[in-house]
Amino acid sequence: MSTQTYTGSCHCRAVAFTVDLDLDQALRCNCSICTKLGAVWAFAPKARMTFTSGADALDDYQFGQKRLHHRFCRHCGIESFAEGVAPDGTPTVGINLRCLDGVEIEKLTPRLHDGRSL
Ligand SMILES: [Zn+2]
């Protein structure tokens, strides 16, 4: 696989977007929020994500060191992405791949990120 353009949304589809991702880079994480959320993630520069609707429906959840913004739909509650700043200063989004259209999560082979230990 290589970088392709995907569409995604929250459950109620108030929040919808397109984003360029390489699903070979998928990861899952064992940190406190990922354990409960069950998301599989892939990352992209924020500039590669475009909202087609609902940017104004997003709410924000932060915890711990508050470096990441967990962005969820205020109508249906689904966290379709998180955002933060990469070590090189690039605004970056982590997309919850379960929110993409037409992606079969079970066919991906995400590597484990040991977020619990960080
Ligand atoms: Zn929604």
Side-chain angles (χ1 to χ4, degrees), residues 10-15 73-78:
C10 64
H11 185 259
C12 75
R13 297 191 172 270
V15 176
C73 172
R74 69 167 58 108
H75 303 294
C76 70
I78 294 296

Side-chain angles (χ1 to χ4, degrees), residues 54-93:
D56 58 348
L58 288 167
D59 215 325
D60 187 8
Y61 173 66
Q62 293 192 284
F63 68 97
Q65 297 181 15
K66 299 192 175 181
R67 288 185 300 212
L68 289 174
H69 296 266
H70 294 269
R71 305 284 266 150
F72 62 95
C73 172
R74 69 167 58 108
H75 303 294
C76 70
I78 294 296
E79 178 178 336
S80 50
F81 69 103
E83 61 183 310
V85 178
D88 69 358
T90 305
T92 298
V93 288

